[in-house]
């Protein structure tokens, strides 16, 4: 019989780690691996182990913090403290030790699962357990005691492959993960417990016997196969009058008996504690090294290098610093004969307040296709508004290992596009009110004289004024030839103030600007009126930017924007106000897509950011078109549609694709188990608050009930003749049964495929299966078709969307809505596509109604027009176009590191 020298093996591992830490610190002087040991309450047995861990950490070069909290700490307080440690970049590993008597008031599983997967050095979170169960032994963290036992078995010289192994005990810390480790090392494994029938007989067949059952000297010599390897994980205290303390420590194995039979055995009292500590230290060093790897990989390559890699000429790229650039529209002309790549839109099920990870999936899929599957690929996403970034939502660059970088530049200012939109929008608003003021305070002759002044004795119409004359049917070019009636018609727009729809904008959430009074200065001579501010991304100019196809097209669209009607009911446009040329000048740079990159160095176009409720909620046509040319016929452009598929995807097909002429090859529909449970009747969730337990535990019934929403969105995609691939964005709380159930239901509902994704945790690697599914889905020719013909009456187009996409029985138009519809028909706007303005949280008009209801009536309160953008937008319920700040906005956490000048807290 040979004893395994646990102390020697553990010391050898610690010495190796000490050497590795010295090497890391020499290469990265600012680095010191950090371990946080969180303890709630005060138990002496816990303190002994903690002292062992702290001492081992100090010897190796790890900065170990023993963080004590009183036993009275609440669950929510402890959760917040762990979240703070997750955000602490000096901490690479976190372990939590709870006293047994806190388990009634603290959910230990929830506490452990709150630890970031990148800091779970104990290897005990659901993510770590799930990885182990799938045989993913690399890239994550293995639980310390079982991993230590495996190291002992390997060093003992015992043959693992083909061996019969028995694990006695099924705890989450030792028994269950030990069995999984042995299985993936090619052993035939049986897991037993104290109630297993014929336990001695089962144990006697084991070549390898691992015991962690917590019962003193439970396993007898007669239970053990001669020559077996026995690993005793137990430490138990039993009475012993010969000891000063009156107690003696023994293992779960009767050492005196078993040592006579086994060929290899851990020494009495079965304490593999030194190996547990060694593996904990090893995981912490791995985490620190991984943190360096991530930080290094997050350093973007120079954008000029990326531009060259994707085939852009130097003359086609204007650099904005080293990490972002504007791309010239001339690329489209140069590559006009290049065949387009495959066009894929990412949409989602009806979202919940927590979000389902649509942006993250878009980026993760692009990374999978590019860095993993070696395809030419572009991701096309919207630029986020600074309002929500500083308000309640935070950044929108994706998340985890699937995001756009540099994320601070992505979320803040970028290349100034939103500022250009703000300036252009407000210039038009200023001209609108100024024109009404001047018309109200001047005679026809005075007004005409100022509009067409004599310069050096000569009057001339500007090109924009010539356009207005043509619109009025006046075929004269000499200002002195106009009659009095023609002068009046030319000079007076005669705007009806009650019909004004154009508002001022600001890219800040400011609830007190939702209704204001302007013109209160004495200089405005009593010309006051009530109006409001919208957020900048709600401006029609943003929608124009997203839907335009060229500089010429943008100039025309800006001119067509209707700001009000005159007193005879005719539309008044930006062209009538003479400002459309100036708007184009302000937007001349904004029209060019912004080039950035993902964490894995694949290209991203971030361009335009229209709201997905009152506008169409998609990034720009120009970005998609340029991307499709650059990737070539074998490449892929992944573009994201805002909110649920009933909103963003429907508008993508019926509005964006109409104006672009592009035909999509597939839909990727993002869903989560968590959201399906909510649609199935699960309790309400609030961002930032702990999740109700139903979302953390397996519940197939809720998942099946909530699948109706996902099924409806799958069918919505199929209506357009496009194959649908479901991306199940997996969380650590999802169970295998839940995921498999959803996959099965998706294919039954008509989805081309359904794939479980882990791109948030693993980047492109976690979306490889999704990438392959998309490749397969786009191999066949698309049968894409629109939902309705543009020539149908406005009411009928609205009714088709409500019935086919939402599941409504019919539509109810208010008197105001019908009046507007009649006006738009008279003004010649009937044949525009429809852009429904509706809550994104439900298929109905009520955000509280989840699932996929049918037979309801959809109320249309109003119908408005974005003529420049090219759509009518019916309003279902109340739509706020200016968000407000919450009690605790995101900016509480945002600051600038004055030493590194890096933005912190922007997530």
């Amino acid at each position: 019989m040979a004893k395994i020298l646990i102390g020697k093996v553990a010391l050898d591992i610690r010495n190796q780690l000490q050497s590795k830490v010295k090497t890391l610190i020499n290469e990265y002087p600012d680095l010191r691996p950090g371990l946080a040991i969180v303890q709630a309450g005060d138990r002496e047995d816990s303190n002994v182990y903690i002292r062992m861990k702290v001492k081992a950490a100090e010897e190796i070069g790890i900065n170990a913090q023993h963080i004590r909290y009183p036993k009275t700490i609440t669950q929510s307080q402890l959760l917040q403290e762990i979240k703070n440690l997750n955000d602490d970049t000096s901490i690479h590993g976190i372990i939590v030790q709870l006293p047994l008597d806190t388990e009634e008031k603290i959910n230990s599983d929830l506490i452990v699962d709150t630890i970031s997967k990148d800091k779970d050095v104990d290897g005990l979170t659901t993510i770590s357990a799930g990885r182990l169960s799938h045989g993913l032994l690399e890239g994550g963290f293995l639980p310390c005691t079982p991993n230590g036992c495996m190291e002992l078995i390997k060093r003992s010289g015992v043959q693992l492959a083909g061996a019969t192994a028995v694990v006695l005990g099924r705890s989450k810390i030792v028994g269950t993960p030990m069995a999984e480790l042995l299985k993936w090392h090619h052993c035939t494994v049986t897991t037993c417990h104290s109630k297993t029938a014929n336990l001695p007989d089962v144990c006697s067949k084991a070549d390898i016997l691992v015991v962690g059952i917590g019962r003193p000297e439970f396993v007898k010599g007669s239970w053990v196969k001669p020559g077996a390897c026995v690993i005793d994980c137990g430490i138990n205290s039993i009475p012993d009058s010969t000891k000063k303390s009156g107690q003696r420590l023994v293992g779960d194995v009767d050492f005196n008996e078993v040592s006579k039979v086994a060929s290899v055995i851990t020494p009495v009292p079965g304490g593999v504690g030194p190996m547990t500590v060694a593996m904990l230290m090893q995981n912490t060093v791995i985490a620190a090294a991984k943190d360096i790897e991530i930080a290094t990989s997050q350093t973007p390559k120079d954008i000029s290098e990326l531009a060259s890699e994707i085939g852009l000429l130097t003359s086609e790229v204007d650099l904005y610093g080293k990490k972002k650039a504007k791309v010239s529209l001339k690329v489209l002309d140069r590559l006009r004969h290049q065949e387009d790549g495959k066009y894929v839109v990412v949409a989602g099920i009806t979202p919940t307040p927590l979000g389902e990870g649509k942006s993250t999936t878009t980026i993760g899929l692009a990374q999978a296709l590019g860095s993993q599957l070696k395809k030419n690929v572009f991701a096309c996403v919207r630029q986020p508004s600074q309002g929500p970034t500083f308000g309640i939502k935070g950044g929108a660059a994706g998340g985890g290992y699937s995001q756009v970088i540099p994320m601070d530049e992505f979320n803040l200012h970028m290349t100034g596009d939103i500022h250009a939109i703000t300036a252009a929008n407000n210039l038009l608003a200023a001209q609108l009110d100024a024109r009404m003021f001047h018309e109200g305070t001047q005679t026809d002759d005075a007004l005409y004289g100022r509009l067409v002044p004599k310069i050096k004795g000569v009057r001339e119409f500007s090109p924009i004024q010539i356009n207005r004359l043509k619109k009025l049917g006046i075929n004269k070019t000499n200002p002195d030839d106009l009659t009095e009636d023609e002068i009046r018609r030319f000079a007076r727009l005669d705007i009806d103030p009650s019909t004004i729809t154009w508002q001022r904008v600001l890219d800040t959430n400011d609830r007190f600007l939702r209704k204001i009074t302007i013109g209160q200065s004495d200089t405005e001579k009593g010309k006051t009126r009530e109006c409001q501010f919208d957020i900048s991304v709600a401006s029609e100019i943003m929608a124009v930017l997203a839907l335009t196809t060229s500089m010429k097209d943008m100039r025309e669209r800006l001119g067509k924007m209707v700001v009000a009607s005159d007193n005879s009911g005719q539309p008044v446009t930006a062209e009538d106000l003479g400002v459309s040329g100036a708007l184009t000048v302000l937007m001349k740079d904004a029209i060019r897509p912004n080039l950035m990159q993902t964490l894995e160095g694949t290209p991203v176009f971030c361009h335009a950011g229209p709201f997905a409720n009152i506008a169409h909620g998609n990034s720009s046509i120009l970005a998609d078109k340029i991307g499709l040319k650059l990737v070539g016929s074998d490449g892929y452009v992944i573009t994201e549609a805002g909110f649920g598929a009933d909103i963003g995807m429907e508008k993508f097909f019926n509005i964006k694709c109409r104006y672009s002429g592009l035909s999509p090859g597939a839909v990727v529909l993002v869903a989560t188990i968590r959201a399906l449970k909510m649609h199935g009747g699960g309790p309400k969730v609030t961002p930032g608050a702990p999740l109700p337990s139903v979302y953390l535990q397996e519940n197939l019934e809720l998942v099946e009930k909530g699948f109706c929403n996902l099924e409806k969105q799958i069918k919505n995609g199929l209506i357009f003749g496009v194959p649908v691939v479901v991306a199940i964005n997996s969380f650590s709380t999802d169970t295998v049964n839940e995921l498999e159930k959803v996959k099965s239901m998706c294919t039954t509902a008509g989805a081309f495929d359904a794939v479980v994704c882990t791109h948030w945790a693993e980047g492109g690697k976690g979306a490889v299966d999704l990438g392959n599914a998309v490749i397969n889905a786009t191999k066949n020719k698309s049968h894409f078709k629109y939902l309705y013909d543009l020539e149908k009456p406005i009411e009928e187009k609205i009714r088709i969307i409500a019935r086919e996409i939402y599941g409504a029985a019919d539509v109810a138009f208010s008197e105001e809505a019908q009046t507007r519809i009649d006006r738009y028909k008279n003004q010649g706007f009937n044949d525009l596509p429809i852009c429904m303005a509706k809550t994104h949280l439900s298929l109905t008009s009520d955000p509280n109604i989840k699932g996929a209801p049918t037979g309801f009536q959809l109320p249309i309160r109003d119908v408005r027009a974005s003529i420049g953008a090219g759509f009518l937008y019916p309003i279902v319920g109340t739509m706020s176009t200016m968000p407000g700040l919450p009690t605790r906005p995101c900016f509480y956490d945002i600051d600038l590191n004055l030493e590194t000048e890096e933005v912190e807290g922007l997530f």
Side-chain angles (χ1 to χ4, degrees), residues 120 122-147 150 171-185 736 762:
D120 173 33
D122 242 351
L124 297 178
T125 65
T126 309
I127 288 179
S128 295
R131 289 180 58 85
L132 178 55
S133 70
H134 283 265
L136 302 175
L137 307 186
E138 303 293 335
F141 297 106
L142 298 175
C144 299
T145 299
N147 197 25
M150 283 302 306
S171 72
K172 289 181 284 187
I173 297 175
V174 180
T176 298
M178 188 73 235
E180 293 292 340
L181 270 176
L182 287 165
K183 177 181 73 176
W184 294 113
H185 281 83
V736 173
E762 299 181 287

Side-chain angles (χ1 to χ4, degrees), residues 10 54 69 116 181 242 254 285 307 406 431 441 514 533 544 662 756 800 809 891:
V54 171
Y69 296 113
S116 164
L181 270 176
T242 66
D254 188 327
V285 174
Q431 168 61 348
T441 56
R514 289 172 178 168
F533 268 79
V544 166
L662 298 172
V756 176
I800 289 171
F891 57 64

Side-chain angles (χ1 to χ4, degrees), residues 602-661:
T602 57
V604 177
F605 272 143
C606 174
H607 197 216
F611 262 23
N613 46 17
I614 56 172
H616 66 293
N618 284 255
S619 60
S620 77
I621 286 174
L622 284 168
D624 291 357
K625 279 180 169 284
I626 294 174
L628 286 165
K629 292 298 182 188
L630 288 171
V631 299
S633 59
D634 294 328
Y636 299 82
V637 165
I638 313 299
T639 191
E640 180 190 357
F643 289 146
D646 57 299
I647 297 181
M649 183 191 73
E650 181 270 315
K651 295 174 182 179
F652 170 82
F653 288 142
N654 283 320
I655 301 175
K656 185 176 181 180
C657 288
R658 283 187 197 272
Y659 287 120
S660 70

